[in-house]
Amino acid sequence: MFNNVREARLTQPPAAPAKRAGRPRRLTTSQLVEAAIALGLEDLTMSALAERLGVRVAVLYNYVKGREELIGLAARHAISTQPFPEDVGQSWRDYALAYARAAYDLFRSDAQLLPLMINGKLSPAIKIDSVESWLETMTKHGFAAAEALSILKAIDTLVMGSAVLASHARSYAADYPASVRETVNSRPPAELPLLVANLDSFAAIVDPENWERSLQMLLDGIESKRSAQGATRL
């Protein structure tokens, strides 16, 4: 009897060793940023990000302090990949125009940044490097730093406003111009005579040509002021 039991024990396969807890998956901050952008920054949650990356939520906190820091990193990534102009000896006006175009393209190409900026979810720190480059270039052209900052803020206001209008208009797609015309034409012509006379311009979807026209007007005013100041000094 005992021999049979002993033989049965010997013929049974050895018990599988207990599984050891595996190490957390190794990630990089770049992987977190790319996954966050893919999910969408505005409604991003750490649990959704962890699920996409196949890790526990706690693992993410080895790389970032939390959601706000991750959003900031993603925004910096977007800005760093947008080619802003360099100082190559061009006129201040050409530099300012190129800077504004780059900023506009950034908001139009990365639709996630604009709502985050509007809702105050992006720290002003994301612009520090680009602002410093702006100041370095503009002060070389004789602008005081305070004046250069005022010009930059005016350009930012124009660019962001234009980007918001363009986003709003394009959300209607091809229906936007028709919707505008229908709304205006539903009113008695005598109420809106000037608007009716310029309806095509009002109904047009915001595009680079339209917003750049406003930018050129801003730059014209700055140029005129500088010319007048130069004449006064003479």
Side-chain angles (χ1 to χ4, degrees):
M1 176 180 176
F2 291 107
N3 288 336
N4 291 338
V5 172
R6 181 171 178 274
E7 289 176 2
R9 286 177 178 172
L10 290 175
T11 56
Q12 289 178 351
K19 291 185 178 180
R20 296 182 179 180
R23 292 184 178 181
R25 177 184 168 190
R26 289 185 178 275
L27 298 171
T28 65
T29 305
S30 294
Q31 287 176 309
L32 265 67
V33 168
E34 291 170 3
I37 292 173
L39 285 172
L41 300 179
E42 190 172 11
D43 299 317
L44 178 69
T45 65
M46 298 298 277
S47 58
L49 181 62
E51 182 177 354
R52 183 179 182 88
L53 292 170
V55 298
R56 291 174 296 138
V57 173
V59 173
L60 302 180
Y61 291 94
N62 293 326
Y63 301 88
V64 292
K65 295 178 181 178
R67 178 179 181 275
E68 297 305 317
E69 182 182 2
L70 182 57
I71 289 175
L73 290 173
R76 288 192 188 95
H77 172 75
I79 291 175
S80 67
T81 55
Q82 174 65 33
F84 278 83
E86 297 181 0
D87 179 14
V88 292
Q90 69 273 54
S91 68
W92 72 266
R93 183 171 181 137
D94 287 343
Y95 174 78
L97 181 59
Y99 188 100
R101 284 172 176 164
Y104 183 84
D105 288 345
L106 174 64
F107 286 116
R108 293 303 303 138
S109 62
D110 196 325
Q112 299 186 56
L113 287 180
L114 194 57
L116 290 172
M117 185 74 76
I118 292 172
N119 295 329
K121 295 181 179 179
L122 289 185
S123 167
I126 64 173
K127 290 188 59 180
I128 285 177
D129 291 332
S130 62
V131 171
E132 182 67 17
S133 297
W134 167 271
L135 291 175
E136 288 177 356
T137 300
M138 295 298 278
T139 52
K140 287 180 182 178
H141 285 283
F143 289 91
E147 185 181 11
L149 280 175
S150 295
I151 295 170
L152 179 59
K153 289 178 180 179
I155 290 175
D156 281 346
T157 300
L158 177 60
V159 165
M160 287 192 62
S162 298
V164 169
L165 288 174
S167 179
H168 171 72
R170 288 193 172 95
S171 67
Y172 288 91
D175 296 333
Y176 181 78
S179 176
V180 170
R181 290 189 176 88
E182 181 181 353
T183 303
V184 172
N185 290 330
S186 68
R187 303 274 293 275
E191 288 187 8
L192 306 167
L194 297 176
L195 190 55
V196 170
N198 296 275
L199 186 53
D200 287 343
S201 177
F202 179 63
I205 294 177
V206 176
D207 59 31
E209 182 180 354
N210 287 338
W211 79 265
E212 283 190 20
R213 189 176 299 121
S214 299
L215 177 62
Q216 295 287 3
M217 292 171 64
L218 171 64
L219 299 180
D220 285 344
I222 296 169
E223 199 161 46
S224 296
K225 180 181 177 182
R226 284 171 62 82
S227 297
Q229 289 174 340
T232 301
R233 293 192 189 98
L234 293 176

